[in-house]
Amino acid sequence: MADNEALTPRVFIVRHGETEWAKAGRQTGKTDLDLTPLGVKQVQTTASVFVGTAKLLDPAKLAHIFVSPRKRAQQTLQGLLGGELAGAGVEVTTTEDVAEWDYGDYEGMVVSEIRARRRKNGLDDEGRVWNVWRDGCEGGETKEEATERLDKVVSAIRDIQRPSMKGGRPADVLVVAHGVILRGFVMRWLGYPLEMPLNMMLAPGAVGILSYKNNNIEEPAFNVGMAIPIMD
């Protein structure tokens, strides 16, 4: 990679591993679920390939970790860094600001059930179907509320990384959270409204990478593809 790219701080986003509800397509907000055995293996595989000294996500280069308080995210963080977490001396912030979207009355439902309920309640019709980014959730979170908390995290990360835009003290940041809220985080990182149509996917246990163009804190970007570090 180019020298300036190597110096620019990055933000790694990691979705927690599989849960039983995620496997079934059920909306999982505040419900506190453990990872499935497959979910544990997903995280372990991610860690073995991408996490470690001189690997893509090097604990020695981490300045801060933001993690959801839900068990599935906490278990994922431990699976990623394990014993390295204590020795790295990285500050860890457990915060509701990166918890999954609050689905309210839709908790535990699948999308088809939500859309049928909303039609029955007169909220949607055949020409307009539920979209969490636009419509939020009955009894749960609105797009404005989700935007407000995500913007707090984006601002905090910019404050951490601003002094290190051209090298110096390592300032990578790790965010361990959930599928929907992490996609929302990407939107707000780029300055886009949550409802802007931009289809994204993030598999259980997957790693995404955000950073900045031109070593410039005012040019947030995402990496469409990241080169694997070359071992000396």
Side-chain angles (χ1 to χ4, degrees), residues 50-69:
F50 294 118
V51 181
T53 301
K55 291 186 178 181
L56 187 64
L57 202 170
D58 189 336
K61 296 182 180 179
L62 283 175
H64 204 105
I65 297 170
F66 294 88
V67 59
S68 164

Side-chain angles (χ1 to χ4, degrees), residues 126-231:
E126 292 299 330
R128 183 186 189 280
V129 295
W130 173 70
N131 181 317
V132 68
W133 310 109
R134 177 191 64 212
D135 304 319
C137 302
E138 293 179 87
E141 196 166 21
T142 66
K143 65 180 180 182
E144 290 82 11
E145 290 167 332
T147 296
E148 181 179 2
R149 63 184 174 97
L150 288 172
D151 284 356
K152 286 167 57 180
V153 180
V154 170
S155 179
I157 293 173
R158 299 267 165 82
D159 287 344
I160 291 167
Q161 295 185 329
R162 187 174 284 106
S164 301
M165 290 307 297
K166 295 185 179 180
R169 180 179 180 272
D172 286 346
V173 170
L174 170 64
V175 181
V176 182
H178 312 266
V180 168
I181 209 64
L182 283 174
R183 281 177 277 163
F185 177 79
V186 172
M187 297 294 284
R188 296 309 301 153
W189 180 264
L190 298 173
Y192 298 151
L194 294 184
E195 65 270 25
M196 192 186 92
L198 180 62
N199 291 334
M200 289 181 282
M201 299 172 65
L202 190 64
V207 180
I209 308 170
L210 306 172
S211 190
Y212 308 87
K213 289 179 62 180
N214 304 315
N215 298 110
N216 185 353
I217 197 81
E218 303 301 331
E219 295 187 66
F222 65 89
N223 279 292
V224 176
M226 189 80 179
I228 301 299
I230 298 172
M231 301 289 285

